[in-house]
């Protein structure tokens, strides 16, 4: 099959750039969110006005050791309020960044100091949690990498932040943020995918070099289907949590918000190229290239071991678990007729006029009362029924869960689970982190149009 480099449709125009501005935030390292301009499209297109952390797309990679603290001052120089959510980190509730639930929004011109410990080693990320459907799509996201106390031997540790952009012909961001059509379908799906802010990301490699790759899907709505060529190895972690048994990577499906850690040896020949490919509706494209410019060693390193487990409480018998069900309804080709919005029954037509398209357990706004109110340390067993024509990537804050498969087997620890259209899925977790935690679809346009609820722990 012919695989071409990513191409871009549109008219070439002259490039323009604007200077970046830098401001120090005193003795606390800043994470300044502000308008910026990034060259996302190929060089013969203009640069794209975006919103960025510290004038970088993606934002600066934050790297700490397991058990250390992350301390960052969010400086809001955006034209609207914002917050930061630290996706996948089992942190203290007050640092979770959810407006109205765990903190107030940070108005333009103001700051907020985030300060929390990271209990787990793994691949995490950060993004706004206010108007996420706009702020994420405008470029606000970055990697948060927590290294193991003794990182396993590799030649390189490389983070690939994968972003999906909807660009207009002049390479500016298409202004259709929050469009009802997107909300009722698969979310804001873009037309240009970047890795670490580049359309043709590549890094030189050597034959038999061992790479640790950390892939993060930061898209609003795009589900990635990835495959490897000239790279062989193991999947060692999902959503920041080590697999008990590393798996052989086949097709790697990453829903918005999900991550995968891979330990891979470069098997492509010298002079060739190892690649990560993305299967999209209209073809398969090279997402990331590793041209092989030399040889690291005559044979690959030995087998890949499992990473040390993170301190997540073990799931026991579910017989005594607190049970709940979540009925997901709505969207295009759905059967939803009405839902509760701020306590009042609203027919679907009026819901649409308010930008709402979905309901969970019959409610289309953030419910007044939590889906579940559980004691600290209780086990939760949640059954989801997706009665919609769309997949949903369901994300839980503050905890990792396991899928409970038909027959009762547990899946790997995750913080985001893709639930297929017209299907059911069950998850279970030990609610060991006190506070109010969101549970929502990470197709962030869905989250804003009805697919957000919460649980209270402790
Ligand atoms: Cu990454 Cu509530 O989200
Ligand atoms: Cu969804």
């Amino acid at each position: 099959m012919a695989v071409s480099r990513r191409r871009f449709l549109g008219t070439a125009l002259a490039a323009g750039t604007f200077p970046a501005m830098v401001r120090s935030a005193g003795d606390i390292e800043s994470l300044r969110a502000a308008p910026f301009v990034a060259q996302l499209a190929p060089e013969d297109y203009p640069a794209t006005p975006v919103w960025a952390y510290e004038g970088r797309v993606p934002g600066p990679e934050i790297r700490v050791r397991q058990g250390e603290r992350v301390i960052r001052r969010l400086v809001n120089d955006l034209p609207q309020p914002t917050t930061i959510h630290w996706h996948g980190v089992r942190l203290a509730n007050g640092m979770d960044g959810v407006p109205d639930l765990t903190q107030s929004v940070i108005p333009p011109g103001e700051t907020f100091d985030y300060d929390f410990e990271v209990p787990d080693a793994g691949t995490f990320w950060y993004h706004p949690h206010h108007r996420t459907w706009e702020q994420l799509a405008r470029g606000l996201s970055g990697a948060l990498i927590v290294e193991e106390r003794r990182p396993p031997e590799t030649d390189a540790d490389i983070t690939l932040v994968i972003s999906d952009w909807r660009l207009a012909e002049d390479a500016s961001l298409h202004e259709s943020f929050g469009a009802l059509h997107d909300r009722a379908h698969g979310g804001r799906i873009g037309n240009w995918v970047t890795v670490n802010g580049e359309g043709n990301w590549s890094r030189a490699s050597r034959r038999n070099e061992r790479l640790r790759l950390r892939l993060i899907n930061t898209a609003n709505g795009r589900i990635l289907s990835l495959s490897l060529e000239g790279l062989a190895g193991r999947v060692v972690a999902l959503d920041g949590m080590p697999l008990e048994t590393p798996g052989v990577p086949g097709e790697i499906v990453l829903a918005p918000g999900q991550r995968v850690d891979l330990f891979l040896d470069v098997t492509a020949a010298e002079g060739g190229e190892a690649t990560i490919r993305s299967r999209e509706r209209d073809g398969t494209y090279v997402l990331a290239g590793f041209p092989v410019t030399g040889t690291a060693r005559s044979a690959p390193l030995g087998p890949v071991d499992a990473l040390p487990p993170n301190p997540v409480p073990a799931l026991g018998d579910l017989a005594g678990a607190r049970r709940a069900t979540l009925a997901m309804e709505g969207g295009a080709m759905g059967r939803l007729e009405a839902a509760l919005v701020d306590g009042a029954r609203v027919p679907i037509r009026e819901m649409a006029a308010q930008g709402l398209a979905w309901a969970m357990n019959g409610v289309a706004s953030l419910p007044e009362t939590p889906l579940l109110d559980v004691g600290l340390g209780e086990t939760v067993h949640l059954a989801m029924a997706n009665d919609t024509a769309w997949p949903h990537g369901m994300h839980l804050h503050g905890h990792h869960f396991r899928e409970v498969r038909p027959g009762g087997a547990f899946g790997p620890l995750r913080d985001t689970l893709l639930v297929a259209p017209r299907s059911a899925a069950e998850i279970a977790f030990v609610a060991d982190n006190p506070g109010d935690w969101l549970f929502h679809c990470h197709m962030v346009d869905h989250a804003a149009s009805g697919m957000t609820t919460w649980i209270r722990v402790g």
Side-chain angles (χ1 to χ4, degrees), residues 85-88 96 98 125-129 132 136 256-257 259 395-397 415-416 438-442 444 447 452:
H85 170 61
W86 311 88
H87 183 121
D96 200 40
V98 179
W125 64 295
Y126 60 93
H127 63 76
H129 221 294
T132 319
L136 183 61
R259 291 87 68 211
H395 171 52
L396 177 62
H397 285 212
D415 61 41
T416 306
L438 278 192
F439 184 57
H440 65 87
C441 180
H442 217 288
V444 292
T452 302

Side-chain angles (χ1 to χ4, degrees), residues 391-393 441 443 446 451:
H392 302 290
C441 180
M443 277 75 171
H446 292 177
M451 301 196 74

